[in-house]
Amino acid sequence: MFGGGLARGLVKKAVAAAAAAGAALVAVLFLGVAIFYALCLIVPPLAAAAITFLLFAFIAALIAVLFLRGEGDDEEEEEEPSGIGERAFMLFRERPILGTVAALAGGWIFLRNPALASIVAAAFTEKSHTRRRR
């Protein structure tokens, strides 16, 4: 239906990524629960909830600042992306909302015509023709 092993491999990777993300979410949630109950032994429950919230908010802000700070450092001369995969990555990196809308539109088109999925998957995985072969 989708083009054989290539699509099956992409689906397996997507399922593995979703399972890993779900496990990470559960781990973070239960870390928060453990911190909350540990703080309940020391302070009233309302204060424990507030401290837990502030701790996780601080960690999220710290991670956001660390990732956003490094973004402006590589303003050197960037090469034009050569493949369609690199172009899509640059679109998501520079304009995430536009990239998300494009991905949703592409998903809707693939639902209407699944044969396109194998064509696009092949385009994303093929090597650039600008490099010299030896």
Side-chain angles (χ1 to χ4, degrees), residues 9-75:
L10 290 174
V11 169
K12 284 183 180 180
K13 287 181 183 179
V15 168
L25 175 68
V26 170
V28 169
L29 285 174
F30 279 98
L31 174 65
V33 169
I35 291 171
F36 170 75
Y37 281 116
L39 287 172
C40 277
L41 297 173
I42 301 169
V43 296
L46 188 58
I51 293 170
T52 305
F53 169 77
L54 288 174
L55 175 68
F56 277 85
F58 175 73
I59 291 171
L62 182 67
I63 290 172
V65 166
L66 289 176
F67 277 104
L68 292 177
R69 182 184 59 171
E71 192 173 304
D73 295 341
D74 57 348
E75 292 295 326

Side-chain angles (χ1 to χ4, degrees), residues 80-94 124:
E80 184 69 26
S82 59
I84 190 168
E86 292 177 23
R87 287 182 183 172
F89 176 73
M90 292 301 292
L91 176 67
F92 275 104
R93 186 173 161 217
E94 293 175 359
F124 272 99

